[in-house]
Amino acid sequence: NSRLLFRGSQIISSATLYTVQACIGNDLQLRIGIIGAVATSKQHRGHGYSTYLLNEIEQNAQALGIDALVLWSDRAAFYQDHGFLRAGSQLIYSLAELQAPRVFPKGNPVCGWKSSQVKPLYESHSHRIARTDSYWKALLKIQSCSFLQWESDQGETTAYIAFDRGKDLCNIVHEWGGDTNALHSLLWLTLQSRTNLMWLTHPKLDDPIQTILPNLKPIHSSALAFFKPLHTIDPVIFENVWFWGLDSL
């Protein structure tokens, strides 16, 4: 769902809206509108075009019954003036000190994901973005992203990771799930060729990295995103949970 402003045949400003379903535990589901591509050409800035398009996007989102808007930006003051709040937390850890597992699980690392087997591991996360079959197919077509899984001798996927999703997540493991020992093995083997690999997580998340590297300290922390509730939603919801899949869109 895109909004474009033209001068003649030239696009001078843009904003897009993409709708996803967020699962928060077993009892709550929210429709979240993800805003992106908010931009105005340099020579046309200062005329309120982005503000105009943001207002249009918000009106459209309300008409669609969207519960909250989310976006990523370094223009904090601009979006806070438009009612967006910094919410959620994310931590980044260096994996440079990771040691080899004491025992490797039976099986092998495999490049790529078998989505039919990764899907139930992903859906075991209680807070996540719902993914349709077409969504999974589109995700696996992202060429910049690296997908790995651990496959047992019986052909079962027991753990998975993904990293390199775009410039902001280069060398950062931003998706993971499954058996802790299999995850440890995937990470250690990946580190043999990617020595600067890092790990992305939420401070309140039950995270296997704390078992794999118990004394690990984060090298960076930041807000997860900017959120704007469109209905009566407690902002604490966005502060206390990690939306699996949000960083993989």
Side-chain angles (χ1 to χ4, degrees), residues 84-110:
F84 286 84
L85 306 171
R86 286 185 184 272
S89 301
Q90 54 186 11
L91 305 175
I92 295 177
Y93 294 93
S94 168
L95 298 177
E97 297 181 8
L98 186 74
Q99 300 297 313
R102 292 181 180 178
V103 179
F104 283 88
K106 292 183 179 180
N108 294 285
V110 177

Side-chain angles (χ1 to χ4, degrees), residues 124-172:
S124 69
H125 298 303
S126 61
H127 302 79
R128 66 188 185 278
I129 301 300
R131 288 173 169 168
T132 63
D133 290 340
S134 60
Y135 189 114
W136 280 100
K137 290 178 182 178
L139 178 65
L140 295 176
K141 289 181 180 178
I142 299 174
Q143 295 184 357
S144 65
C145 195
S146 299
F147 303 95
L148 296 174
Q149 65 179 39
W150 191 271
E151 190 172 288
S152 71
D153 289 342
Q154 291 72 40
E156 177 188 1
T157 300
T158 57
Y160 69 93
I161 61 173
F163 51 94
D164 285 349
R165 173 67 177 95
K167 291 182 180 179
D168 292 343
L169 295 170
C170 183
N171 295 316
I172 297 175

Side-chain angles (χ1 to χ4, degrees), residues 9 37 46 49 63 72 82 92 108 121 143 145 158 177 184-185 220 224 228 234 246:
S9 61
Y49 295 144
W72 294 265
H82 289 79
I92 295 177
N108 294 285
L121 296 177
Q143 295 184 357
C145 195
T158 57
H184 188 169
S185 303
H220 180 73
L224 174 60
K228 183 175 184 178
D234 188 345
L246 201 60

